[in-house]
Amino acid sequence: MLPDSLLIYIVLAPGLAALTGLFHKWIGDRIVMFATTGVVLSAGALSLFQLFAYVAGLGHAGAAEHHAGGFDAYLTAGAEAAASELNQHVIKLMPWIHVGDFKADWAIRVDALSIVMMAVITGVSGLVHLYSWGYMSEDPHKARFFSYLSLFTFMMLMLVVADNFIQLFFGWEGVGLASYLLIGFWYTKKAPNDASIKAFVTNRVGDFGLALGIMAVFFVFRTVEFAPVLDAIRNNTVVTPVAFAEALPARESVFVFLGERVYALEVIGILLFIGAMGKSAQFFLHVWLPDAMEGPTPVSALIHAATMVTAGVYLVCLLSPIYEHTIYAAGMVTIVGAVTALYAATVGMAQNDIKRVIAYSTCSQLGYMFFAAGVGAYEAAMFHLFTHAFFKALLFLGAGSVIHGMHHEQDMRRMGGLAKFMPLTYAAMMIGTIAIIGLGLPHTKFGFAGFFSKDAILESTFAGGTAQIMFAQVAFWFGLVAAFLTSFYSWRLIYMTFHGPMASAAHGDHHHDAHAHDAQGQDDHGHDQGPHESPLTMLIPLGLLSIGAIFAGVYFYDAFVEKQNELFWAGAIYRAAENHVLHDRHYVPEWVLWAPLVVTVGGFLIATFTYFFNRGVGKRVADSGGPLHALFSNKWYFDEIYQATLVRGSALLGNLFWKADKKIIDGIGPDGTASLAKFSARQLSKMHTGYLYHYAFVIIGAVIVFGAVLWLRTGGAN
């Protein structure tokens, strides 16, 4: 494990580097770019070194099991001791909130989960920073962009190393802020502004659930620190919730809601998962993610591969003790993940924007991760999160290379035949495609990264269905269909972009979309008019990510989900004694092992027939506008449905309440009182004429009236 000083550097340095953007007018753009890129790359190198060193230590321990005594036994004991130490290592940075039982400190929690996430976040972010030197070379606001990238990285790091819910919530909201800034980076245009607002508002819906979940955690456990909460659930110790004195074991603690007793863990699990749904763009709260493509392409890679969208998966795996002892909350995770995997894959088939195809593939792959966690295969979910970071960043940055070479063209219908112009980008995209479809041979170590992690998920999910875990069987079949569709739309992207005849845009008849203009609205006419390969600063990250997309699966397979997984996770992930899905996946029927390969090859063959040998078939299907194609191309009409119901409904409701407030509450209350006082004052002011005889008349009248009243009250009545 790295020294504490280096761990602190990894977490805090990107945040400090982001501050250099405030001084770009004095130090210049290049200093900001050098500072942010250098810091994040160095943090990535340290994080990856830590991960590889940790895995190598496990390898020594595994080898030592075959020997008795001597140095090998020492290595085994040392690895186990390191794992035990790692599971308990927390670096306290400073106190933060201490109010009674409510205590939250700034801290860095170092365990297997945070080690993996630090490597993913800083590794991919560092390459995105380097890539952005080429991609954003002509943008006039480079300092601001790089500062936002580093801020994004810092906030995500704060999230994954938190040792309490409040610091996690800080990072969670900070990532939301940074995503808003990056998606709307070109803020002078309407589309990026709308997309950033849509992402921000949609995530607020999920974050409201997360906030309620954190409140519920404190209500039951009287603390927001992870260790005591999760230990209480693991050991089922007695807890006394706030506000009433009924002490019960943690797994049996209840809320009284509308007169009904409901299990507290179920409520907490569902609320926290709603937060994960928003951040990780799951079904119903997914609508923000495709529109996030309005930001620069490096932002898309960062959001989809390494940071924001993986936060929800990380949260569920971190809180595995909660979901291990719930039925309905875990079932909700499973079914929402399964539906998302299938839904997003269907939509991805009918999109023509190269970035949107990859965006919907992200939604689909996140669905895989969630239903794996829902059935209890948390290790497989984290494994897919890890491998996905490589090939998804590769695909997005590869798409960015295509867009850059095509002068900001994103419509695949206006591409074609680009392989000869961009051979290195083409090779990288091919590697990313083979990785995401999960091509590999069962019973062998031959396969790209996605093969090892995706198949581990499908096998574990099938085993979960055999064990009667809620919705596991549905998730397996949905995942299998999604694998077929993933292969189809991935090869469709390759064929439409790199093969066949060149479209008009490739010949120089360029269609400049919103991204073809800088922040000042200037058209980008400085390029050569033909497609061209990207600069070295963009190609180096593609090459490094390609290595990860090929080898990350086979290299980390044993550590994440196989022989060394219990030692690797070192208690960071908890599985109940009755949860055997990761082990039982080895005993699934043979056809389950081969089914993913069969559907993957099937998707490849259909895409090849439709878009390689008969390119006109796909166009004719799209032009026919059948109901199924219309449903998929219009994203199941979610935007239209939400616009007609939620958006307009909220507007009508707000308008109603506004009018009621204005006309009734304000009309009778402050506005009415003020109007009455004003009217009365106006009428009384008419009496002040300035004529003496008017005042004398009023005085005499008052004397007569008051005299009469006094006379009646005293002797006049007699």
Side-chain angles (χ1 to χ4, degrees):
M1 190 167 62
L2 292 174
D4 287 359
S5 57
L6 291 180
L7 291 168
I8 293 172
Y9 172 82
I10 291 172
V11 175
L12 299 185
L16 296 175
L19 296 177
T20 59
L22 299 174
F23 308 101
H24 75 278
K25 290 183 179 179
W26 297 277
I27 62 178
D29 288 355
R30 293 186 70 83
I31 298 297
V32 176
M33 294 163 68
F34 271 114
T36 53
T37 305
V39 164
V40 177
L41 280 174
S42 61
L46 290 170
S47 299
L48 288 168
F49 171 80
Q50 178 170 249
L51 177 62
F52 277 98
Y54 183 48
V55 173
L58 299 180
H60 285 305
E65 290 178 359
H66 300 286
H67 304 276
F71 184 65
D72 288 331
Y74 169 77
L75 283 175
T76 304
E80 291 174 348
S84 176
E85 176 192 357
L86 182 64
N87 192 37
Q88 303 172 9
H89 190 64
V90 176
I91 305 170
K92 295 288 186 182
L93 298 178
M94 64 182 72
W96 185 16
I97 303 173
H98 285 198
V99 181
D101 293 333
F102 193 97
K103 295 181 181 179
D105 295 323
W106 293 110
I108 298 175
R109 190 193 81 260
V110 188
D111 60 8
L113 274 171
S114 62
I115 281 180
V116 170
M117 292 303 295
M118 280 192 285
V120 168
I121 293 164
T122 56
V124 173
S125 181
L127 295 178
V128 168
H129 275 73
L130 179 60
Y131 179 93
S132 299
W133 278 69
Y135 192 87
M136 302 295 289
S137 60
E138 297 174 6
D139 194 277
H141 304 292
K142 292 184 282 291
R144 178 164 59 89
F145 181 76
F146 278 80
S147 180
Y148 288 171
L149 287 183
S150 289
L151 176 66
F152 204 132
T153 306
F154 167 71
M155 288 299 182
M156 191 67 193
L157 287 168
M158 292 300 292
L159 189 161
V160 300
V161 302
D163 81 327
N164 60 78
F165 283 97
I166 304 303
Q167 183 181 330
L168 179 141
F169 192 72
F170 168 80
W172 195 275
E173 295 303 308
V175 169
L177 167 66
S179 69
Y180 171 80
L181 296 173
L182 284 168
I183 294 169
F185 179 74
W186 287 311
Y187 58 85
T188 58
K189 306 182 185 71
K190 184 177 187 302
N193 270 322
D194 290 346
S196 62
I197 293 171
K198 189 175 184 179
F200 196 80
V201 172
T202 306
N203 273 275
R204 297 293 70 73
V205 176
D207 294 353
F208 182 65
L210 179 67
L212 291 177
I214 294 172
M215 294 176 197
V217 167
F218 182 75
F219 183 84
V220 174
F221 297 95
R222 294 177 177 266
T223 181
V224 291
E225 295 180 276
F226 292 142
V229 171
L230 300 182
D231 285 345
I233 300 171
R234 288 189 187 99
N235 303 319
N236 202 25
T237 55
V238 174
V239 295
T240 304
V242 175
F244 59 87
E246 185 180 5
L248 289 170
R251 301 175 198 168
E252 301 167 20
S253 185
V254 296
F255 290 128
V256 178
F257 180 71
L258 297 178
E260 298 292 331
R261 291 165 64 88
V262 293
Y263 283 107
L265 286 189
E266 295 282 6
V267 175
I268 291 170
I270 290 172
L271 289 173
L272 294 175
F273 178 61
I274 290 172
M277 287 174 63
K279 198 65 71 182
S280 294
Q282 292 300 282
F283 197 66
F284 291 125
L285 296 179
H286 66 279
V287 291
W288 67 269
L289 192 58
D291 288 352
M293 299 305 98
E294 294 295 337
T297 298
V299 174
S300 305
L302 196 59
I303 290 176
H304 286 250
T307 53
M308 189 169 175
V309 296
T310 61
V313 179
Y314 165 79
L315 179 67
V316 172
C317 294
L318 174 67
L319 304 179
S320 54
I322 293 176
Y323 295 97
E324 278 294 273
H325 296 290
T326 58
I327 297 175
Y328 299 107
M332 181 178 176
V333 175
T334 305
I335 193 62
V336 170
V339 170
T340 304
L342 182 59
Y343 157 77
T346 61
V347 177
M349 292 193 303
Q351 301 304 303
N352 295 310
D353 185 313
I354 188 171
K355 287 172 66 177
R356 285 183 181 267
V357 174
I358 303 173
Y360 277 105
S361 82
T362 298
C363 281
S364 186
Q365 298 302 310
L366 288 166
Y368 276 95
M369 300 174 208
F370 274 112
F371 72 68
V375 301
Y378 309 99
E379 299 91 338
M382 286 300 301
F383 190 26
H384 200 52
L385 184 156
F386 180 74
T387 60
H388 177 263
F390 291 102
F391 55 74
K392 186 50 56 71
L394 178 60
L395 286 170
F396 262 115
L397 296 185
S401 182
V402 170
I403 294 167
H404 183 271
M406 287 290 293
H407 316 293
H408 303 279
E409 177 60 62
Q410 295 182 201
D411 193 332
M412 295 186 298
R413 293 170 297 186
R414 300 178 61 82
M415 300 178 186
L418 297 182
K420 66 176 74 173
F421 298 100
M422 307 176 193
L424 297 178
T425 299
Y426 173 60
M429 291 289 283
M430 283 292 291
I431 291 171
T433 297
I434 296 172
I436 196 173
I437 67 174
L439 187 64
L441 289 176
H443 302 299
T444 72
K445 290 296 182 73
F446 176 77
F448 282 36
F451 161 70
F452 295 95
S453 55
K454 184 194 71 178
D455 281 28
I457 287 175
L458 291 173
E459 292 159 13
S460 300
T461 306
F462 185 88
T466 305
Q468 301 300 309
I469 294 176
M470 183 180 286
F471 299 123
Q473 204 67 41
V474 174
F476 171 76
W477 289 107
F478 278 23
L480 206 57
V481 176
F484 166 77
L485 300 179
T486 300
S487 179
F488 175 81
Y489 68 65
S490 297
W491 288 110
R492 173 180 177 264
L493 184 152
I494 290 292
Y495 292 142
M496 289 183 70
T497 305
F498 294 101
H499 293 274
M502 290 187 293
S504 58
H507 286 286
D509 178 20
H510 302 296
H511 166 70
H512 292 277
D513 64 4
H515 299 274
H517 304 274
D518 62 25
Q520 297 173 335
Q522 299 299 314
D523 200 9
D524 180 11
H525 291 298
H527 285 298
D528 176 71
Q529 289 300 302
H532 57 84
E533 189 61 275
S534 297
L536 199 60
T537 52
M538 296 172 65
L539 294 176
I540 290 175
L542 294 181
L544 294 175
L545 289 168
S546 296
I547 295 172
I550 296 172
F551 297 110
V554 65
Y555 183 83
F556 289 97
Y557 179 70
D558 283 347
F560 274 75
V561 295
E562 197 50 53
K563 299 174 184 176
Q564 301 293 329
N565 81 87
E566 291 187 8
L567 191 58
F568 176 83
W569 293 111
I573 287 177
Y574 166 80
R575 281 186 288 120
E578 60 271 19
N579 180 358
H580 306 115
V581 293
L582 204 65
H583 177 265
D584 291 347
R585 70 186 179 86
H586 296 104
Y587 304 104
V588 298
E590 189 70 14
W591 69 266
V592 175
L593 302 179
W594 289 92
L597 178 61
V598 171
V599 298
T600 296
V601 172
F604 163 74
L605 292 176
I606 294 176
T608 302
F609 173 80
T610 307
Y611 292 96
F612 185 76
F613 292 113
N614 300 278
R615 288 180 67 90
V617 173
K619 186 177 185 303
R620 287 196 296 273
V621 171
D623 292 342
S624 67
L628 202 58
H629 182 272
L631 177 69
F632 295 161
S633 63
N634 288 288
K635 303 161 284 189
W636 290 25
Y637 298 101
F638 263 98
D639 284 341
E640 290 79 2
I641 293 171
Y642 282 4
Q643 181 70 26
T645 56
L646 298 179
V647 176
R648 291 183 181 174
S650 298
L652 289 172
L653 194 62
N655 192 42
L656 174 65
F657 284 133
W658 172 74
K659 288 182 177 178
D661 179 75
K662 189 72 176 173
K663 293 184 177 180
I664 299 175
I665 299 175
D666 287 351
I668 296 175
D671 289 351
T673 304
S675 298
L676 179 61
K678 186 177 180 181
F679 174 79
S680 302
R682 187 181 299 115
Q683 298 307 313
L684 289 173
S685 68
K686 293 178 180 179
M687 299 176 63
H688 297 277
T689 63
Y691 294 109
L692 182 61
Y693 60 87
H694 285 171
Y695 298 147
F697 177 76
V698 171
I699 293 171
I700 293 170
V703 169
I704 293 171
V705 170
F706 283 113
V709 171
L710 183 62
W711 180 73
L712 290 173
R713 288 177 60 89
T714 55
N718 297 323

